[in-house]
Amino acid sequence: MAPRRLPVLFIMITVTIDAMGIGLILPVMPDLIREVRGASLADAALWGGMLSAVYAVMQFGFSPLIGNLSDRFGRRPILLVSMGVLALDYVVMAVAGTIWLLFAGRIVAGIAAATHSTALAYMADITDGSKRAQNFGLISAGFGMGFILGPVIGGLLGGLDPRAPFVAAACLAAANFAFGWFVLPESLPHERRRAFDWRRANPAGALKSVRKLPGVGPLLAVMLAYQIANFTYPAVWAYYIQGAFGWDTHMVGLSLAAYGVAIAVVQGGLIRAILPRLGEGRAVFWGLILNTACLLAYGIATQGWMIWILIPISAVGAIVAPAMQGVMSRAAGPEQQGELQGVLSSIAALSMILSPLMMTQAFFWFTREGADPRLPGAPFLLGAVLMAGALAIYMGTRPRAAPSPGAAE
């Protein structure tokens, strides 16, 4: 019993550390960039957007490659090498004295943390069909925990020193590498391995499937606009909070953690209560309206206490993503479900690349020296426009999106 549980524990810790990669640096990035660049908050936001985008590009580009390498060489070496490289990379970022070294660190971190598919494959290897969903749920729980713990660690330790969170992350990754070295057996026997094929490692392959899904094209546009707008929160939160209300790193971390907890509550419980009552179609409609209103409220907020009120309200808007997936799943044919999930994964990755670049540009132009008007909430207003655009497109497609059984549209 124990030997089986230890590898599962290692996988959970691995995906948690991977998920911490973004949240960990969010609270400290404004101070760290200003330290190495001697730049203003507006300039730091531009560099921060590029650092976030390059991390997302690496994950998007290397996830299929790393997954295919694990099919060729086994899961254990890929997972251990990735964790070891991540530990060394955090050490480099902890001592980085130039913005270019930070860029190199984020590039390597994005590659090393692109092990989601390998972690899922390991779980599939060691469990039978009846228990796979349960173990896949553990991976989702690990990711959720990482998104909550990352800002907490970054905020608490970043208040002591902007580089302290990277030291802590390096220690965690190194400890998990040592743990995995002793407890992680190989799950893929040699006879089940296959030759490496570059065609299967193409990260843009799923996007080519869009042409095979003509019935859900407009709905995919809704999803892309929604996700770009929704990613405004992690993209500019630390810069926005500092620029608008003067909060320090500790408060930035606490507010990010509060948002993560609120999202977890919504996804873990409220969605199950709301979706059956509204139906998927109505849930998307009202969720997009709520998200638009909340983004607008963040954009014009004038007092810090307003943020604490908005956080749990805006978290309810997370109902849109699963509801949209349900609508699109029913709009696509049964033979198109695989292509649909691949396209959705690519759209999610694309939004994580585009949103930081767009939103940090908006923050820069409305907070730079001489900006008139000065508006730190400009990225959220841009997000509100995109979200309203998603709502407009969705309203035009609603006749094609049949309501859930038993739910009136």
Side-chain angles (χ1 to χ4, degrees), residues 96-164:
T98 68
I99 192 68
W100 305 114
L101 198 52
L102 285 178
F103 262 104
R106 293 312 283 167
I107 289 172
V108 174
I111 297 171
T115 53
H116 187 208
S117 60
T118 305
L120 287 170
Y122 191 96
M123 285 295 204
D125 291 341
I126 66 172
T127 53
D128 57 36
S130 62
K131 294 183 179 179
R132 281 181 182 172
Q134 179 181 347
N135 279 344
F136 288 164
L138 292 177
I139 290 182
S140 297
F143 264 90
M145 185 64 68
F147 282 123
I148 295 172
L149 288 178
V152 172
I153 295 175
L156 293 178
L157 296 182
L160 303 175
D161 186 284
R163 300 172 186 275

Side-chain angles (χ1 to χ4, degrees), residues 5 12 17-18 37 57 85 100 137 208 230 238 241 267 288 389:
R5 289 177 178 174
M12 283 195 65
I17 293 175
D18 288 347
R37 288 285 302 173
V57 167
V85 170
W100 305 114
K208 297 178 181 178
N230 199 52
I241 289 295
Q267 292 179 334
L288 289 172

